[in-house]
Amino acid sequence: MSTYVRHVHLRAAKHRLVATQWRARSYPARLFHQAVALSGRSSTDAEASKLRVAVKDNIAAQGFPTTCGSRILTDTEIPFDATIVSQLRRRGMDVVSKTGMDEFGMGTHSTTSAFGPVRNAHPLEKYSAGGSSGGSAVAVREGSADLALGTDTGGSVRMPAAYTGTVGFKPSYGMLSRWGVVPYANSLDTVGLLARTVAPIRDAIVGLGLYKEHDDRDPTSLPLSVRERCTAQREGYDDAETSRLWFKGLTFGLPVEYNIEELDSRIRQGWLDALESIQIYGGRVVPVSLPSTKNALSAYYVIAPAEAASNLSKYDGIRYGRRDTSGPSDAHDGVLYARTRGSGFGSEVKRRILLGSYTLSSEAIDNYFIQAQKVRQLVRRDFDRVFKLDNPLLDEQHFELSEMDESIALETKLGPSQVDFLVCPTAPTTPPLLEHVHQQTPFDSYMNDVFTVPASLAGLPAISIPMSIPVDPTNEEQTLLNFGGLQLIGQFWDDARVLSVAERLSRHITPSIANGS
């Protein structure tokens, strides 16, 4: 499957920058509390106790079903809290609902759930809410939750944020525990957070100290010694440091490979305007090259389905999952659990199981899975080369000048400019109409993840914030969809600075978005 995308040169207009239907189709009423008006919050425990939290339906929360949007897990209740849920509850937050999602997190528009699609917040009900954490994004957009938990495997928190005009944050891989989260792809899954603004997310991660907490039950959770070492090499985790962070002295990278032909012209102009705002407020903007980006999407759609096929093999109606009892036996052609899996999984999940099973087969593993893992290392190497900060988990990476885009100028004889953050769109378009989503091929749907997948492959912190885009006042749809998603990506464990800079930048680029409450 080739997902190579052609890119074109950016031209700045003014400065040369290159020198739910879940609201109606929800679980029983006991799962949802009446929404109250959103109010300002601080990071104190007293204020945190007032925060209402919505939880994606693949994260365990006592007292709520955990179905992952799948028929095979209908009415399943896990008798304990996921670590992230218990951490928030210990800080006084109130879990008020479970939210809709794509089945097992497999989808881009939250339309593959067995219980019906998630619909965007009013007045955008006809448009996609993004996926797979679409229900969590709609919950915070509508005001029924102040903070929402999602999971981000290849953009599943950031895409819904871009499509609903909210903020979605994917932390560094290994920062937040995944224990109690139903896995999709273990090496990619990351618990993420969504809110209307950056502040509640930064308060939770930095102010309330979630970044400090190791979980012995999660083998991917970074040990305390590594957390302390990584934090010592970073700024922004101290409140005094955070208050000093501004754009002056910071360098922002514009990845030239992200300017693809499929990028909507309004999203492109919003991106350029955001970069101009960064320059106005003291930041420096330079072009950077990430040459392995063109192969990142292909690698992702080999690695993720392969891990998913392994993870979903347990759902057979015997050990896990609801057994199909519609006939005298669920055996079909000699396979005991064939009918259970056939009726329990939706078409997208089956597609990815088949794809993953094939890429792990003896005849294909060398040509697909192993090659995809090599591409993943190249993607990570590209990021490490362009960031000023070293990756604390890996050796320093050097530039291969022959691989860079020819438009990139050298800063010194050692190579081109290095940056503090990368800035790019979150999604290539504004949210599409749901009726158009249903007409898309799977390949069309996968292409929406082109900007979010690279950071996931590298395990880097990334956040999507709303940005203004040009609007023709005579065009009703453009007036309604007056926002896009802007993504900031930082080096590993630079989460505090990513959140702080995103919070400040959002004050200058976030449009007024129709209230969903």
Side-chain angles (χ1 to χ4, degrees):
M1 176 174 62
S2 173
T3 53
Y4 182 87
V5 287
R6 297 165 58 192
H7 64 276
V8 295
H9 292 293
L10 281 168
R11 292 185 177 85
K14 299 180 181 178
H15 295 274
R16 189 162 182 78
L17 298 174
V18 208
T20 70
Q21 189 72 357
W22 268 70
R23 302 194 304 278
R25 198 187 295 271
S26 61
Y27 286 131
R30 67 185 178 89
L31 302 188
F32 287 83
H33 293 203
Q34 185 176 3
V36 297
L38 216 63
S39 61
R41 309 292 181 190
S42 75
S43 60
T44 66
D45 286 342
E47 286 296 319
S49 66
K50 300 178 183 178
L51 287 180
R52 297 158 298 139
V53 180
V55 178
K56 187 177 179 180
D57 193 32
N58 62 344
I59 302 175
Q62 274 190 296
F64 300 89
T66 301
T67 73
C68 299
S70 180
R71 186 175 290 106
I72 205 166
L73 289 178
T74 300
D75 297 328
T76 298
E77 292 203 27
I78 298 177
F80 54 80
D81 282 335
T83 296
I84 183 63
V85 173
S86 62
Q87 287 172 340
L88 296 181
R89 280 179 161 158
R90 283 202 307 270
R91 287 162 171 81
M93 299 187 196
D94 184 21
V95 176
V96 297
S97 67
K98 295 294 285 290
T99 61
M101 57 180 285
D102 282 305
E103 185 177 9
F104 284 104
M106 301 180 191
T108 307
H109 301 286
S110 296
T111 56
T112 67
S113 170
F115 309 110
V118 174
R119 292 192 179 275
N120 211 327
H122 178 78
L124 305 178
E125 295 94 338
K126 295 181 180 179
Y127 295 89
S128 167
S132 62
S133 306
S136 294
V138 172
V140 296
R141 180 70 261 163
E142 290 187 326
S144 59
D146 305 310
L147 187 70
L149 293 177
T151 55
D152 194 305
T153 307
S156 294
V157 162
R158 290 161 286 160
M159 284 291 292
Y163 281 177
T164 58
T166 56
V167 176
F169 177 61
K170 183 197 86 69
S172 295
Y173 184 81
M175 177 176 280
L176 299 183
S177 172
R178 295 188 305 109
W179 191 81
V181 177
V182 179
Y184 166 16
N186 300 58
S187 71
L188 294 161
D189 289 345
T190 308
V191 174
L193 296 93
L194 298 105
R196 282 199 177 191
T197 64
V198 180
I201 299 174
R202 187 171 65 82
D203 286 349
I205 297 292
V206 180
L208 297 178
L210 287 178
Y211 75 92
K212 300 177 182 178
E213 298 204 13
H214 167 67
D215 184 6
D216 290 331
R217 296 171 295 185
D218 176 11
T220 66
S221 177
L222 261 62
L224 285 174
S225 60
V226 178
R227 291 171 185 264
E228 291 170 357
R229 175 168 60 84
C230 292
T231 303
Q233 299 176 29
R234 299 291 187 253
E235 296 179 355
Y237 288 99
D238 179 85
D239 286 341
E241 293 176 344
T242 301
S243 64
R244 292 196 302 267
L245 287 177
W246 192 233
F247 299 153
K248 189 174 183 180
L250 298 178
T251 305
F252 296 78
L254 183 159
V256 296
E257 287 85 3
Y258 284 39
N259 186 40
I260 58 177
E261 290 185 344
E262 294 84 355
L263 185 60
D264 183 273
S265 60
R266 294 203 297 146
I267 298 293
R268 180 182 287 110
Q269 188 57 52
W271 180 20
L272 292 171
D273 291 344
L275 292 169
E276 184 177 338
S277 294
I278 289 171
Q279 290 181 314
I280 290 172
Y281 290 100
R284 181 188 178 207
V285 176
V286 298
V288 296
S289 181
L290 301 170
S292 300
T293 291
K294 63 181 182 292
N295 297 316
L297 199 61
S298 294
Y300 172 82
Y301 277 105
V302 171
I303 295 170
E307 296 187 22
S310 175
N311 281 323
L312 295 180
S313 63
K314 67 171 81 67
Y315 298 105
D316 53 15
I318 302 171
R319 296 169 296 171
Y320 297 97
R322 184 177 184 177
R323 189 168 184 177
D324 188 321
T325 57
S326 59
S329 169
D330 70 352
H332 179 72
D333 293 336
V335 181
L336 174 61
Y337 47 80
R339 183 178 286 116
T340 290
R341 288 170 66 84
S343 62
F345 291 140
S347 59
E348 183 61 31
V349 173
K350 293 176 186 175
R351 182 181 296 111
R352 298 196 192 194
I353 290 175
L354 290 172
L355 177 60
S357 298
Y358 174 71
T359 59
L360 290 176
S361 66
S362 59
E363 66 179 275
I365 189 169
D366 289 337
N367 289 332
Y368 290 93
F369 188 75
I370 301 301
Q371 297 302 321
Q373 293 289 6
K374 292 178 179 178
V375 169
R376 184 178 193 172
Q377 297 307 314
L378 294 177
V379 171
R380 182 183 288 119
R381 183 196 64 179
D382 284 353
F383 281 117
D384 288 344
R385 286 172 173 174
V386 301
F387 284 124
K388 290 179 181 179
L389 295 176
D390 293 335
N391 188 323
L393 304 184
L394 300 170
D395 295 331
E396 183 179 356
Q397 300 293 322
H398 299 284
F399 287 96
E400 291 289 343
L401 302 183
S402 61
E403 298 177 2
M404 294 187 342
D405 188 277
E406 61 184 10
S407 66
I408 305 299
L410 298 186
E411 178 87 347
T412 69
K413 63 181 181 180
L414 299 178
S417 302
Q418 290 183 300
V419 302
D420 296 284
F421 309 101
L422 296 171
V423 184
C424 63
T426 307
T429 67
T430 55
L433 287 165
L434 285 172
E435 62 180 278
H436 294 166
V437 168
H438 296 311
Q439 297 168 6
Q440 289 182 348
T441 65
F443 180 80
D444 293 333
S445 179
Y446 299 163
M447 281 296 298
N448 288 320
D449 298 331
V450 65
F451 297 140
T452 55
V453 156
S456 293
L457 288 174
L460 301 180
I463 189 169
S464 176
I465 58 177
M467 68 173 177
S468 296
I469 59 176
V471 171
D472 178 357
T474 64
N475 186 310
E476 184 178 350
E477 183 176 63
Q478 287 193 16
T479 303
L480 199 60
L481 302 176
N482 65 337
F483 63 91
L486 185 74
Q487 183 178 206
L488 269 70
I489 304 171
Q491 178 58 289
F492 186 83
W493 213 259
D494 203 16
D495 302 55
R497 285 205 310 166
V498 168
L499 288 165
S500 180
V501 170
E503 183 174 17
R504 293 179 182 273
L505 180 58
S506 64
R507 298 171 188 170
H508 305 291
I509 68 169
T510 299
S512 175
I513 301 172
N515 194 328
S517 58

